[in-house]
Amino acid sequence: MAAQSPDLARIIARLAADMAHEPQRGRVADYIPALARADADRFGIAVLTADGQMHVGGDADHGFSIQSISKVFTLTMALNRIGARLWQRVGREPSGSAFNSIVQLEHEQGLPRNPFINAGAIVVSDVILAGQTAAAATAEILDYLRMLAGDPAIAIDAEVAASEAETGHRNAALASYIKSCGRLDHAVADVLQVYFGQCAITMSCRQLARAGHYLMAGGRGPHGEVLVPPDRARRINALMLTCGHYDGSGEFAYRVGIPGKSGVGGGILAVVPGRASIAVWSPGLNARGSSMIGSLALERLAEAMGWSVFAA
Amino acid sequence: MAAQSPDLARIIARLAADMAHEPQRGRVADYIPALARADADRFGIAVLTADGQMHVGGDADHGFSIQSISKVFTLTMALNRIGARLWQRVGREPSGSAFNSIVQLEHEQGLPRNPFINAGAIVVSDVILAGQTAAAATAEILDYLRMLAGDPAIAIDAEVAASEAETGHRNAALASYIKSCGRLDHAVADVLQVYFGQCAITMSCRQLARAGHYLMAGGRGPHGEVLVPPDRARRINALMLTCGHYDGSGEFAYRVGIPGKSGVGGGILAVVPGRASIAVWSPGLNARGSSMIGSLALERLAEAMGWSVFAA
Amino acid sequence: MAAQSPDLARIIARLAADMAHEPQRGRVADYIPALARADADRFGIAVLTADGQMHVGGDADHGFSIQSISKVFTLTMALNRIGARLWQRVGREPSGSAFNSIVQLEHEQGLPRNPFINAGAIVVSDVILAGQTAAAATAEILDYLRMLAGDPAIAIDAEVAASEAETGHRNAALASYIKSCGRLDHAVADVLQVYFGQCAITMSCRQLARAGHYLMAGGRGPHGEVLVPPDRARRINALMLTCGHYDGSGEFAYRVGIPGKSGVGGGILAVVPGRASIAVWSPGLNARGSSMIGSLALERLAEAMGWSVFAA
Amino acid sequence: MAAQSPDLARIIARLAADMAHEPQRGRVADYIPALARADADRFGIAVLTADGQMHVGGDADHGFSIQSISKVFTLTMALNRIGARLWQRVGREPSGSAFNSIVQLEHEQGLPRNPFINAGAIVVSDVILAGQTAAAATAEILDYLRMLAGDPAIAIDAEVAASEAETGHRNAALASYIKSCGRLDHAVADVLQVYFGQCAITMSCRQLARAGHYLMAGGRGPHGEVLVPPDRARRINALMLTCGHYDGSGEFAYRVGIPGKSGVGGGILAVVPGRASIAVWSPGLNARGSSMIGSLALERLAEAMGWSVFAA
């Protein structure tokens, strides 16, 4: 593989320019005021390559609500805590359903299909809660993100967290249902507090790309430190590819071809194993709840760089 | 990447030896006599690498019923025929359901989730039927496989085809349902004849690995000839990864990490983009209907060779 | 109970006049030409009371396709044949689903919820097929209807039967699904022939009201002959009330309050235990597939006569 | 109709004796301690006939938790409050599902199928909450029951109410789900307080039979006072028949043939329009969650008295 950085810088600059003019930008999530205020014209991208170079474009330093992207990191934390025992509490299969569907839970007795749908992430929150208060668990998640991104300034947006808690009846339904199946160890209110807290973390593309370094680099952080074993990084990538975009996961694999996890704040974390950790952000969403412009940018970037994991 | 062939030959020999002694071999499919007679002790493997070398182990030249592996090739044929219009008739998402589920069809008005579940492959058969008889369409599929594998001796097992037709009430239900939604152009009986015919093709691991060359090689066949455009090969690989093992697709991606398509005859075709086309065979199936020993062999091979597309 | 006949004659005459002017008449079934030609302005009613008097109004002697009303009579025949063993093959619960839903079949392994949804009636057809050809079974059903109605001229509309067979892919899906679960003894094609044949019987309101006499009269026919035991008549009435209008059964019970069975030809057979056997017909259907004007007429008649089984 | 009382007294005495020796008594609900302590050997019956006579047998004066039987009375209260507008918030169809299923809610956007499944009763609680606190609404329900039964001593079992609240995660999931669809006006916690309160009311068979008088008597109470209009009583009876036993409603209609509503405390309220209001109690439940001995007693009583609404 040829040195990629010069081309990459040019490609990213071009992408950022192009994305600014794309007419179809999707719909900004409007279920809470803090998200509804986001500007659909925004677009940011940050690409951290295996050689340690960071390339950015557009609003790469603008903070946004990472929302479900946090599920990648809490999954990592839960696996670090209890290893493969996690898979007795949550599955590893695509759900074929929307992110907040409860039908699958009833058909499968409260065992969520995978850790990237809301129900699965709620179980992951319950794992992280073990032995501590909801406040402590939330702080632990925040600290983990700060460590991964190398930025102690990363914070939870209190307004977002409060709004999520206020309007989160669907998530309360999911958590209560799982609890009713005897599959949550802690009180529903505590589990939800942790879950809503992690969703309300604000990060920029630059911070997020850096936080994803270990997934691209066989489990190692930017300084070569071992964060997770290589096979754990590899398997989280596999889960991101098959389950990272709810019922749009197949489409993303088909079009883009790299592991990714989206959030309704408009961010997407994407991983090119051995090559790059990428974060994009644009608040307008497609019908599946993933960033419309962000997905397009990743498709073009992967195409231009030959980064699809499915390409020869 | 270092020259892989010497190691590969040794690894394959070791794998074949190890697989012979694995105690847990799964259950042979018994819904038709021809499959039920298969010997669960069998194991074959063939690996065709990008440099054109073929490595084999075990019963690599023993013919078996390819069953659903044929869906990869008929999908290729349908895309070659009508291109992206195919996606108006079948989706690209994992179904989260068993291979023969009809529930999803009712909830989504007869639009199958993807071309690798039975319902989707039935629609693909309908596409191939256009402008010809069922016999001609079946012959066209067989010819395509013969061409891909470079072996004009490949044939349909008439006993298997007849048994499939006789016992295929679930597939008849799927086809009739799709027809009732106005989503089949041809008569149900004709579509099923094509579908049952393709499932009854007999191939060996060696033939299958060769037939899969284009998926590993950016669309090119063993002699460098362009069979499909590179992006088509890439996208078929993506579909194999997200949907290739029904409701065990996530598990296969998690454990093995390469695109693959299994059949109830015990075969699996797997693709390492840019590296290798692999076929394994062992008739005993796991709970999801994929070869138990075949899956294990692929997991060990991918691990040993570092072939997971999700590894750094 | 006071002599009801004088009032009844007047009420029926008034009803027939009123129904002629109702503006909202529903939509005529159009899935086959013979039904699509029906005139939505038509309305017929026939009421046979316990004292043997027949009162008619409107187009009471106009023949129409009885369609699913036939399910009441084939259920009676199947119970006469194999008694309570029938309930090992079909349930007795409302389905909560549309008449042709296949979802429930998958969730309950091919056991239809009740004999009045299509899937259940297909199983009933299979029971009647035992020991005879499809033609003979169809003839037996026709003969039973002729006997019940006391009219040997009742016939199957060959055009309707042929159209049903031609377009009946959904029913073929249901039958194939049940067969795939090992729950049909005979070939799908034979079972469907019987099923389509019974649906294509043409009867008038007068004939139908007479055929329903045994349900109103504790199992006895118009001449006092025992056709079924009293408890069988009672139980069939119960099934009609809970399951007779698919996912509109609760609504019919709520509004009308008497056992009834509707057909997409626009007919409804209704039973007031101990009082009357009623047939109404008007081809326009409501959203649940029952006659809109026919339901309204029954509601008004039951109200006027105090015939609801739920009234004090 | 002949004078029924002498026979009835004898039949009830015989029933109570027979029921004491029935070997198959079902399983006592054990999800909360207060219910789990119930003695499966108990059986009580009270029959209040249209002429005002009360006949009792067995433990007719033993209090038990009425649980879901309360849904009949809260439905009556909600209809008295807002009339037919209630049907914009809850359906009138049998659900075909278990009492606590959430699948239907997702498929139908949070509109419960009927007021007798938990989801529907939760909506009814929300209606009763309008304009008052949860404590006031609960008191209003209790007062209504006291008035209907003519017994100011009827009370809520505080232990049961507390246990329900503690373990009621499934109901919390249902309420949260409905709330997430925008279909609850009040806070989930308040709605659940009302719901759990009504379920925890303790009554005896004698009290319950008296409370059901208006349903048997065209809306009039024991002293002839109009409690609801006749058509309301009739329609509530219709709903009890089609929906009163969850996914065992069809079976109850088939076997017993009268409107009834069961509770997991082992009570059943049954109504013979124009004839009798009946309450039975025995704590052991069948697979559908209705009293096993209670159902059997009602079947025998209806048979002996010819009380099925479906009999000639």
Side-chain angles (χ1 to χ4, degrees):
Chain A
M1 123 195 38
Q4 58 191 205
S5 300
D7 286 311
L8 181 54
R10 196 174 43 78
I11 287 167
I12 289 172
R14 174 68 177 275
L15 253 186
D18 287 355
M19 292 302 111
H21 299 101
E22 275 294 323
Q24 299 228 340
R25 308 189 75 84
R27 272 176 67 104
V28 172
D30 57 3
Y31 69 97
I32 58 172
L35 293 183
R37 285 196 299 268
D39 178 359
D41 288 339
R42 296 273 193 174
F43 171 75
I45 182 168
V47 181
L48 177 60
T49 53
D51 58 7
Q53 294 196 53
M54 176 72 83
H55 302 268
V56 298
D59 303 307
D61 290 302
H62 193 282
F64 57 89
S65 192
I66 67 168
Q67 295 289 325
S68 291
I69 302 173
S70 63
K71 290 168 182 166
V72 174
F73 304 109
T74 53
L75 167 64
T76 304
M77 292 171 71
L79 285 171
N80 289 347
R81 275 197 170 215
I82 64 170
R85 278 181 296 138
L86 179 66
W87 306 120
Q88 295 162 14
R89 301 191 54 188
V90 60
R92 297 192 291 234
E93 290 299 327
S95 69
S97 310
F99 64 99
N100 59 4
S101 174
I102 205 161
V103 167
Q104 178 261 327
L105 279 188
E106 179 160 323
H107 288 153
E108 300 178 15
Q109 291 79 46
L111 185 76
R113 267 295 172 90
N114 67 64
F116 292 154
I117 53 174
N118 291 15
I122 284 167
V123 167
V124 167
S125 295
D126 189 60
V127 169
I128 295 174
L129 251 176
Q132 59 186 333
T133 64
T138 309
E140 185 188 329
I141 294 168
L142 185 60
D143 284 345
Y144 193 63
L145 263 296
R146 286 169 170 169
M147 180 274 290
L148 288 177
D151 190 338
I154 290 170
I156 290 172
D157 184 320
E159 183 198 341
V160 172
S163 293
E164 299 277 1
E166 218 169 277
T167 65
H169 302 295
R170 184 70 70 98
N171 288 316
L174 293 168
S176 296
Y177 198 96
I178 300 168
K179 182 77 177 176
S180 79
C181 297
R183 291 183 174 278
L184 284 187
D185 293 335
H186 304 88
V188 165
D190 287 342
V191 176
L192 287 174
Q193 184 183 332
V194 176
Y195 178 74
F196 291 138
Q198 75 184 54
C199 288
I201 293 172
T202 298
M203 291 175 76
S204 67
C205 287
R206 188 189 299 267
Q207 290 166 333
L208 205 48
R210 196 175 154 92
H213 186 283
Y214 72 105
L215 294 170
M216 165 259 286
R220 289 178 184 270
H223 306 296
E225 72 278 24
V226 173
L227 293 170
V228 302
D231 62 335
R232 182 160 296 161
R234 163 162 64 85
R235 285 168 175 160
I236 294 172
N237 288 338
L239 284 164
M240 290 172 75
L241 193 117
T242 53
C243 312
H245 308 266
Y246 314 118
D247 50 346
S249 299
E251 183 71 12
F252 192 86
Y254 183 87
R255 285 176 51 199
V256 185
I258 56 178
K261 181 74 203 81
S262 59
V264 292
I268 305 175
L269 172 66
V271 173
V272 189
R275 310 278 181 93
S277 168
I278 309 168
V280 293
W281 170 63
S282 182
L285 307 179
N286 62 24
R288 303 303 185 188
S290 295
S291 173
M292 183 175 277
I293 293 293
S295 298
L296 181 63
L298 287 170
E299 183 177 6
R300 298 229 181 128
L301 178 62
E303 176 73 36
M305 298 300 294
W307 274 351
S308 164
V309 301
F310 303 115
Chain B
M1 126 194 37
Q4 58 192 203
S5 300
D7 287 310
L8 182 55
R10 194 173 46 76
I11 288 166
I12 288 173
R14 175 67 177 275
L15 254 186
D18 286 355
M19 291 302 110
H21 299 101
E22 275 295 324
Q24 299 228 338
R25 308 190 74 83
R27 272 177 68 106
V28 172
D30 57 2
Y31 70 97
I32 58 172
L35 293 184
R37 285 196 300 267
D39 178 359
D41 287 341
R42 296 275 193 173
F43 171 75
I45 183 169
V47 181
L48 176 60
T49 52
D51 58 6
Q53 295 196 52
M54 176 72 84
H55 302 267
V56 298
D59 303 307
D61 290 302
H62 193 282
F64 57 88
S65 192
I66 66 169
Q67 295 290 325
S68 292
I69 301 173
S70 63
K71 290 168 182 166
V72 175
F73 304 109
T74 53
L75 168 64
T76 305
M77 292 172 71
L79 285 170
N80 288 347
R81 275 197 170 216
I82 65 169
R85 277 182 296 140
L86 180 65
W87 307 120
Q88 295 162 13
R89 301 191 53 188
V90 61
R92 297 191 291 234
E93 290 300 326
S95 69
S97 311
F99 65 98
N100 59 4
S101 173
I102 205 161
V103 167
Q104 177 262 325
L105 278 188
E106 179 160 322
H107 288 153
E108 300 178 16
Q109 291 79 47
L111 185 76
R113 268 295 172 89
N114 67 63
F116 293 154
I117 53 175
N118 291 16
I122 284 168
V123 167
V124 167
S125 295
D126 189 60
V127 168
I128 295 173
L129 252 175
Q132 59 186 333
T133 63
T138 309
E140 186 189 328
I141 295 169
L142 185 60
D143 284 345
Y144 193 63
L145 262 297
R146 286 169 170 171
M147 181 273 291
L148 288 177
D151 190 337
I154 291 170
I156 290 172
D157 184 319
E159 183 198 342
V160 171
S163 293
E164 298 277 359
E166 218 168 277
T167 65
H169 301 295
R170 184 68 71 99
N171 289 314
L174 294 168
S176 295
Y177 197 95
I178 299 168
K179 181 77 177 177
S180 79
C181 297
R183 292 182 173 279
L184 285 186
D185 293 334
H186 304 89
V188 165
D190 287 342
V191 175
L192 288 174
Q193 183 183 333
V194 176
Y195 178 75
F196 291 138
Q198 75 184 55
C199 288
I201 293 173
T202 299
M203 291 175 77
S204 67
C205 287
R206 189 189 298 268
Q207 290 166 333
L208 205 48
R210 197 174 152 92
H213 186 283
Y214 72 105
L215 293 171
M216 165 258 288
R220 289 178 183 270
H223 306 297
E225 71 279 23
V226 174
L227 293 170
V228 302
D231 62 334
R232 182 159 297 161
R234 162 163 64 85
R235 286 169 176 160
I236 294 172
N237 288 338
L239 284 165
M240 290 172 75
L241 192 118
T242 52
C243 311
H245 307 266
Y246 315 118
D247 49 346
S249 298
E251 183 71 12
F252 192 87
Y254 183 87
R255 286 176 49 200
V256 185
I258 56 178
K261 181 73 204 81
S262 59
V264 291
I268 305 176
L269 172 67
V271 173
V272 190
R275 310 280 180 94
S277 168
I278 309 168
V280 293
W281 170 63
S282 182
L285 308 179
N286 62 23
R288 304 301 186 190
S290 295
S291 173
M292 183 175 278
I293 293 292
S295 299
L296 181 64
L298 287 171
E299 184 177 5
R300 299 228 181 129
L301 178 62
E303 177 74 35
M305 299 299 294
W307 274 351
S308 165
V309 300
F310 302 115
Chain C
M1 128 191 36
Q4 59 192 204
S5 300
D7 287 310
L8 182 54
R10 195 175 43 80
I11 287 167
I12 288 173
R14 175 68 177 275
L15 253 186
D18 287 354
M19 292 302 112
H21 298 101
E22 275 294 322
Q24 300 228 340
R25 308 189 75 84
R27 271 176 67 105
V28 172
D30 58 2
Y31 69 97
I32 59 171
L35 293 184
R37 286 196 299 268
D39 178 359
D41 287 341
R42 295 273 194 175
F43 171 76
I45 183 167
V47 180
L48 176 61
T49 52
D51 58 7
Q53 294 197 53
M54 176 74 81
H55 302 268
V56 298
D59 304 305
D61 290 301
H62 193 281
F64 57 88
S65 192
I66 66 169
Q67 295 289 325
S68 292
I69 301 172
S70 62
K71 290 168 182 167
V72 174
F73 304 108
T74 53
L75 167 65
T76 305
M77 292 171 71
L79 286 170
N80 288 348
R81 274 197 170 216
I82 64 171
R85 277 181 295 139
L86 180 67
W87 306 120
Q88 295 162 13
R89 300 191 54 188
V90 61
R92 298 191 290 233
E93 290 299 327
S95 69
S97 310
F99 64 98
N100 59 5
S101 174
I102 204 162
V103 165
Q104 177 261 326
L105 279 188
E106 179 160 324
H107 288 152
E108 299 176 17
Q109 291 79 48
L111 185 77
R113 268 294 172 90
N114 67 64
F116 293 154
I117 53 173
N118 292 15
I122 284 168
V123 167
V124 167
S125 295
D126 189 59
V127 169
I128 296 173
L129 251 176
Q132 59 185 336
T133 64
T138 309
E140 185 188 329
I141 295 168
L142 185 60
D143 283 345
Y144 193 63
L145 262 298
R146 286 169 170 169
M147 181 274 291
L148 288 177
D151 190 337
I154 290 171
I156 290 173
D157 183 320
E159 183 198 341
V160 171
S163 293
E164 299 277 0
E166 219 169 277
T167 65
H169 301 295
R170 184 69 69 98
N171 288 315
L174 293 168
S176 296
Y177 198 96
I178 299 167
K179 181 78 177 175
S180 79
C181 297
R183 291 182 173 279
L184 284 188
D185 293 334
H186 304 89
V188 166
D190 287 342
V191 176
L192 288 175
Q193 184 183 333
V194 176
Y195 178 75
F196 291 138
Q198 75 184 56
C199 288
I201 293 173
T202 299
M203 291 176 76
S204 68
C205 287
R206 188 189 299 266
Q207 290 167 333
L208 205 48
R210 197 175 154 91
H213 186 282
Y214 72 104
L215 294 170
M216 165 258 288
R220 290 180 184 269
H223 306 295
E225 71 277 26
V226 173
L227 293 170
V228 302
D231 62 336
R232 181 159 298 161
R234 163 164 63 87
R235 286 169 175 160
I236 294 171
N237 287 339
L239 285 164
M240 289 172 76
L241 192 117
T242 53
C243 312
H245 308 266
Y246 315 118
D247 49 347
S249 299
E251 183 70 13
F252 192 86
Y254 183 88
R255 287 177 48 201
V256 185
I258 55 177
K261 180 74 203 83
S262 59
V264 292
I268 305 176
L269 172 67
V271 174
V272 189
R275 310 279 182 94
S277 167
I278 310 168
V280 293
W281 169 64
S282 182
L285 307 179
N286 63 22
R288 304 302 186 190
S290 294
S291 173
M292 183 175 277
I293 293 293
S295 299
L296 181 64
L298 287 170
E299 183 177 6
R300 299 231 181 126
L301 178 62
E303 178 73 36
M305 298 298 295
W307 274 351
S308 165
V309 300
F310 303 115
Chain D
M1 124 193 37
Q4 58 192 205
S5 301
D7 288 310
L8 182 55
R10 195 174 43 78
I11 287 167
I12 288 173
R14 174 69 177 275
L15 252 186
D18 287 354
M19 291 303 111
H21 298 102
E22 274 295 322
Q24 300 228 341
R25 307 189 76 83
R27 272 176 68 104
V28 172
D30 58 2
Y31 69 97
I32 59 172
L35 293 184
R37 286 195 300 267
D39 178 359
D41 287 341
R42 296 273 194 174
F43 171 76
I45 183 168
V47 181
L48 177 60
T49 52
D51 57 7
Q53 295 197 53
M54 175 74 81
H55 302 267
V56 298
D59 304 306
D61 291 301
H62 193 282
F64 57 88
S65 192
I66 66 169
Q67 295 289 327
S68 292
I69 300 173
S70 63
K71 290 169 182 167
V72 174
F73 304 109
T74 53
L75 168 65
T76 305
M77 293 172 70
L79 285 170
N80 288 348
R81 275 197 170 216
I82 65 169
R85 278 181 296 139
L86 180 66
W87 306 120
Q88 295 162 14
R89 301 191 54 187
V90 60
R92 298 192 290 234
E93 290 299 325
S95 69
S97 310
F99 65 97
N100 59 4
S101 174
I102 204 162
V103 165
Q104 179 261 325
L105 278 188
E106 179 161 323
H107 287 153
E108 300 177 17
Q109 292 80 47
L111 185 77
R113 268 294 172 91
N114 67 64
F116 292 155
I117 53 175
N118 291 16
I122 284 167
V123 167
V124 167
S125 295
D126 189 59
V127 169
I128 296 173
L129 251 176
Q132 59 185 335
T133 64
T138 309
E140 185 187 331
I141 295 168
L142 185 60
D143 283 345
Y144 193 63
L145 263 297
R146 286 169 170 169
M147 181 274 291
L148 288 176
D151 191 337
I154 290 171
I156 290 173
D157 183 320
E159 182 198 342
V160 171
S163 293
E164 299 277 359
E166 218 169 276
T167 64
H169 302 295
R170 184 69 69 98
N171 288 316
L174 293 169
S176 296
Y177 198 95
I178 299 168
K179 182 77 176 176
S180 79
C181 298
R183 292 182 173 280
L184 285 187
D185 293 335
H186 305 89
V188 166
D190 287 342
V191 176
L192 288 174
Q193 184 183 333
V194 176
Y195 178 75
F196 291 138
Q198 75 184 54
C199 288
I201 293 171
T202 299
M203 291 175 77
S204 67
C205 288
R206 187 189 300 267
Q207 290 166 332
L208 206 47
R210 196 175 155 90
H213 185 282
Y214 71 106
L215 294 170
M216 165 259 287
R220 289 179 184 268
H223 306 295
E225 71 279 26
V226 174
L227 294 169
V228 302
D231 61 337
R232 181 159 298 161
R234 162 163 65 86
R235 287 169 175 159
I236 294 171
N237 288 339
L239 284 164
M240 289 172 76
L241 192 118
T242 53
C243 312
H245 308 265
Y246 316 117
D247 50 346
S249 299
E251 183 71 11
F252 192 86
Y254 183 88
R255 287 177 49 200
V256 185
I258 56 177
K261 180 74 203 82
S262 59
V264 292
I268 305 176
L269 172 67
V271 174
V272 190
R275 311 278 181 95
S277 168
I278 310 167
V280 293
W281 169 64
S282 182
L285 308 179
N286 63 23
R288 304 301 186 192
S290 294
S291 173
M292 184 175 276
I293 293 293
S295 299
L296 181 64
L298 287 171
E299 183 178 4
R300 299 229 181 128
L301 178 61
E303 177 73 36
M305 298 299 294
W307 274 350
S308 165
V309 299
F310 303 114

